[in-house]
């Protein structure tokens, strides 16, 4: 982590020696300052809220920083999940490590702002994969991924029962609403990505996003029925489209818990897939439909007979459809 960053991507992708020399000389005035930058130093600058190095390619630099921050987020979640599961009734676990979580959220927000600026200056540099990674990290920061997988049956019935009290508390928190919001933005970025069909690591993060929706919808619905909250209350709620541009309804949902969180079901479109105005909104409380909607994203581009669904993609789509059937079996279609 103390080694200097590699040279600019432009130099690595040069096709001829003359092209490489021209690019090298173009950036030579900044060469001395650039060679002193390392990942460790850059992380210190980011954490201290200092100014980023102007000589760096912002999109390239922030891609490296996002992957470095992932280890910090994973460690934070491991500790917080341990405290929440081991002491579910203490009332202290949900805010046990607020300073570190807030600090990581600030780091991710700073990178998001820099990427937004980079996308206006050099749109081609900010790829769909960078946006996917950014939204996944924001989601993972606020969602207990391992506990969600346990609730889905990964570790058996006993493990699912053990994490349920913690997840019920989580679904009522602002952190959960942030998680479903970023999961919705992850789905949006996936739909806009040029890589089809969805493959490799992208399949896994789409699955994780679907777990966030699925668990949030199921547990919220169970709590609503248990506490005898009338279904009519949901009819007057404003629709909050998690996979669209943020607006006042999304901010009120995240901060105050107001509104009905939904995803767009593009399968309801008969016209162009780019026309979202005719798509139906599927609320998260319909956990089965939500899971089917996200599963279709993995396989829709392989059902025309011209493409073969990759084995990993097919396996996750099958698992997601099984979870959809389990939600439908308890009346959450």
């Amino acid at each position: 982590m103390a080694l200097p960053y590699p040279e600019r991507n432009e130099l690595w992708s040069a096709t001829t020696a003359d092209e490489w020399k021209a690019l090298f000389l173009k950036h030579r005035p900044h060469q001395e300052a650039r060679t002193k930058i390392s990942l460790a130093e850059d992380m210190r600058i980011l954490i201290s809220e200092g100014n980023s190095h102007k000589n760096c390619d912002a999109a390239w630099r922030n891609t490296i920083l996002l992957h470095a921050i992932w280890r910090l987020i994973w460690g934070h979640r491991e500790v917080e999940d341990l405290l929440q599961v081991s002491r579910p009734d203490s009332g202290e676990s949900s805010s046990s490590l607020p300073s570190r979580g807030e600090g990581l959220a600030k780091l991710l927000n700073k990178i998001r702002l820099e990427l937004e600026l980079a996308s206006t200056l050099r749109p081609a540099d900010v790829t769909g994969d960078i946006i996917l990674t950014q939204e996944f990290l924001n989601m993972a920061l606020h969602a207990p991924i391992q506990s969600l997988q346990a609730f889905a049956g990964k570790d058996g019935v006993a493990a699912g029962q053990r994490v349920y009290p913690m997840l019920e508390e989580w679904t009522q928190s602002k952190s959960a609403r942030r998680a479903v919001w970023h999961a919705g933005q992850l789905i949006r970025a996936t739909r806009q990505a040029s890589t089809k069909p969805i493959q490799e690591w992208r399949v896994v993060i789409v699955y994780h996003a679907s777990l966030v929706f699925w668990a949030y919808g199921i547990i919220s619905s169970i709590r609503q029925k248990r506490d005898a909250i009338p279904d009519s209350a949901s009819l007057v709620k404003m629709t909050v489209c998690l996979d669209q541009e943020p607006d006042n309804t999304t901010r009120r949902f995240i901060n105050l818990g107001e509104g009905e969180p939904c995803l767009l079901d593009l399968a309801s479109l008969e016209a162009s897939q780019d026309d979202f105005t005719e798509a139906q909104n599927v609320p998260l409380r319909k956990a089965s439909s939500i899971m089917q909607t996200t599963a279709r994203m993995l396989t829709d581009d392989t059902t025309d007979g011209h493409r073969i669904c990759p084995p990993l993609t097919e396996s996750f789509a099958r698992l997601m459809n099984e979870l959809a059937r389990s939600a439908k079996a308890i009346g959450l279609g």
Side-chain angles (χ1 to χ4, degrees):
M1 295 198 37
L3 291 175
Y5 274 156
E7 293 294 345
R8 296 173 182 267
N9 279 347
E10 294 172 310
L11 291 173
W12 290 99
S13 59
T15 56
T16 65
D18 290 338
E19 181 183 352
W20 184 93
K21 182 178 179 180
L23 291 169
F24 178 81
L25 293 176
K26 176 182 176 181
H27 299 295
R28 191 174 183 180
H30 308 304
Q31 191 71 14
E32 183 177 351
R34 181 176 174 78
T35 54
K36 296 179 181 179
I37 305 170
S38 67
L39 176 58
E41 180 188 358
D42 231 357
M43 286 293 292
R44 284 195 292 269
I45 292 172
L46 195 66
I47 292 171
S48 65
E49 299 185 0
N51 295 323
S52 61
H53 291 272
K54 296 182 179 179
N55 298 332
C56 283
D57 181 335
W60 174 84
R61 166 186 179 261
N62 284 304
T63 300
I64 296 175
L65 287 172
L66 283 171
H67 286 83
I69 291 173
W70 165 240
R71 186 63 189 89
L72 300 178
I73 292 175
W74 184 255
H76 169 69
R77 282 253 51 106
E78 282 185 319
V79 175
E80 190 160 82
D81 291 353
L82 175 65
L83 293 176
Q84 287 178 322
V85 173
S86 61
R87 301 178 63 190
D89 302 322
S90 66
E92 301 174 0
S93 59
S94 61
S95 57
S96 57
L97 302 171
S99 58
R100 186 175 181 185
E102 290 170 4
L104 290 170
K106 287 180 180 180
L107 292 182
L108 290 172
N109 187 58
K110 185 173 182 180
I111 291 180
R112 179 185 62 81
L113 294 175
E114 290 192 5
L115 287 174
E116 287 179 355
L117 178 60
S119 67
T120 59
L121 300 176
R122 301 177 64 179
D125 290 348
V126 183
T127 64
D129 284 350
I130 296 178
I131 303 301
L132 277 176
T133 304
Q134 171 197 292
E135 295 297 349
F136 170 72
L137 294 185
N138 276 285
M139 180 190 77
L141 177 61
H142 298 291
I145 299 294
Q146 293 193 82
S147 296
L148 294 176
Q149 293 185 92
F151 179 64
K154 178 183 177 182
D155 302 319
V157 176
Q161 293 173 340
R162 186 174 65 252
V163 300
Y164 183 86
M166 181 270 286
L167 290 178
E168 184 176 5
E169 180 183 350
W170 172 75
T171 56
Q172 302 173 65
S173 68
K174 183 177 179 180
S175 186
R177 296 191 292 273
R178 283 180 173 174
V180 296
W181 163 250
H182 286 294
Q185 293 301 292
L186 189 156
I187 295 298
R188 179 186 175 205
T190 303
R191 286 172 175 160
Q192 296 174 347
S194 57
T195 304
K196 297 293 176 72
I198 302 171
Q199 300 183 50
E200 300 172 342
W201 60 273
R202 304 170 191 86
V203 176
V204 180
I205 66 172
V206 169
Y207 168 67
H208 285 160
S210 72
L211 273 186
V212 171
F213 298 137
W214 181 81
Y216 184 90
I218 286 181
I219 297 174
S220 297
S221 298
I222 291 175
R223 184 175 58 85
Q224 178 179 343
K225 292 180 180 179
R226 186 197 62 203
D227 297 343
I229 301 174
D231 291 339
S232 58
S234 63
L235 299 177
V236 297
K237 291 182 178 180
M238 295 186 64
T239 298
V240 181
C241 294
L242 301 173
D243 50 355
Q244 296 298 293
E245 288 279 355
D247 55 22
N248 288 332
T249 62
T250 56
R251 284 184 281 272
R252 292 184 69 84
F253 167 70
I254 294 172
N255 293 320
L256 304 174
E258 297 180 359
E260 178 77 81
C262 303
L263 292 182
L264 291 179
D265 181 10
L266 297 189
S268 63
L269 291 177
E270 296 181 358
S272 170
Q273 288 189 354
D274 295 328
D275 182 13
F276 295 142
T277 59
E278 300 298 326
Q280 296 178 0
N281 291 316
V282 183
L284 296 194
R285 55 188 167 85
K286 294 186 177 181
S288 178
S289 298
I290 287 291
M291 188 61 81
Q292 289 174 337
T293 297
T294 51
R296 279 196 296 269
M297 292 178 56
L298 302 182
T299 59
D300 270 356
D301 292 308
T302 61
T303 56
D304 56 4
H306 300 295
R307 293 185 180 180
I308 299 175
C309 188
L312 180 67
T313 305
E314 186 177 6
S315 296
F316 273 99
R318 189 184 308 112
L319 174 59
M320 292 160 73
N321 284 318
E322 289 175 0
L323 292 174
R325 284 190 290 272
S326 69
K328 192 171 184 178
I330 60 174
L332 299 177

